[in-house]
Amino acid sequence: AFAGAFMGIRKAVGGAADFEAAMNLVEVNSGAAASQVAELAALAERLGQETVFSSLEAANALNELVKGGVSVQQIMAGAAEATVFLAAAGGVDLKRAAEIAADAMNAFNLSGGEMMRVADALAGVALSTTADMSDLAFGFKAGAAVAKQAGQPLEEFAAALGAMAEAAILGSDAGTSLKAFLMNIIPTAKADTQA
């Protein structure tokens, strides 16, 4: 009984140390003031209590969001909850959901305040097509920058990846195919751009 209790205490102390280390990374990567880091830590702990994810997973996701350019204010205003939604809907861990959402947000030059828009678009496609979140992540990496340049909205690009998944073209293959198609319709000649 004593050994079991000791292991439980050691695990709790180790978990607290891991959480503190994760929040230290959030502080370093965000450049946030101590008061803001305290707010983010409280948010991570709340997410750990109210969702299926742990506080440590939430802290790691917050770190990915700040590394992706999402501000503390945007995280507190809903970007963290949008990430939780995306992770749950897409069947991925919280850190991976944060990476995917931040990459998509940056590819389409969106602000962190539009994170729920990103989560809705990606989750909608993942839930309604054969594309999973990993397929979408690879597709976005391969083609989202060109889609943005061509003026295609995030939602249309995500839907196109979903349509390609239904035709058994998945992941980076789908993104690369869409990229090639879009590059062929972007005007490049001076006469084309003035038409």
Side-chain angles (χ1 to χ4, degrees):
F2 176 76
F6 176 76
M7 289 302 290
I9 292 169
R10 194 166 117 182
K11 186 175 180 182
V13 170
D18 291 342
F19 179 78
E20 185 177 338
M23 289 310 303
N24 286 340
L25 284 175
V26 171
E27 181 175 14
V28 168
N29 289 321
S30 68
S35 60
Q36 291 177 309
V37 175
E39 289 178 5
L40 290 172
L43 173 62
E45 288 174 346
R46 180 174 63 78
L47 292 174
Q49 293 167 355
E50 296 177 357
T51 71
V52 297
F53 303 103
S54 71
S55 298
L56 177 58
E57 288 174 308
N60 287 330
L62 296 182
N63 188 46
E64 292 305 317
L65 290 175
V66 297
K67 283 170 38 182
V70 183
S71 73
V72 172
Q73 292 80 9
Q74 292 166 336
I75 290 171
M76 297 299 296
E81 282 82 359
T83 304
V84 169
F85 167 75
L86 182 61
V92 294
D93 67 55
L94 204 50
K95 181 179 177 185
R96 182 68 178 133
E99 292 169 351
I100 293 168
D103 284 349
M105 181 191 75
N106 289 328
F108 282 88
N109 199 26
L110 302 174
S111 72
E114 296 177 274
M115 188 66 81
M116 187 52 86
R117 175 184 168 195
V118 172
D120 281 341
L122 294 174
V125 171
L127 291 171
S128 63
T129 70
T130 57
D132 64 22
M133 202 56 64
S134 188
D135 294 327
L136 293 174
F138 287 122
F140 265 78
K141 280 194 181 293
V146 172
K148 165 67 175 151
Q149 184 183 357
Q152 190 173 41
L154 169 118
E155 292 84 358
E156 287 182 16
F157 185 70
L161 289 173
M164 294 196 71
E166 295 298 300
I169 304 169
L170 299 163
S172 59
D173 288 344
T176 301
S177 297
L178 286 171
K179 174 182 171 181
F181 169 75
L182 292 168
M183 286 177 75
N184 285 326
I185 63 170
I186 296 172
T188 53
K190 189 174 183 181
D192 293 338
T193 58
Q194 293 175 346

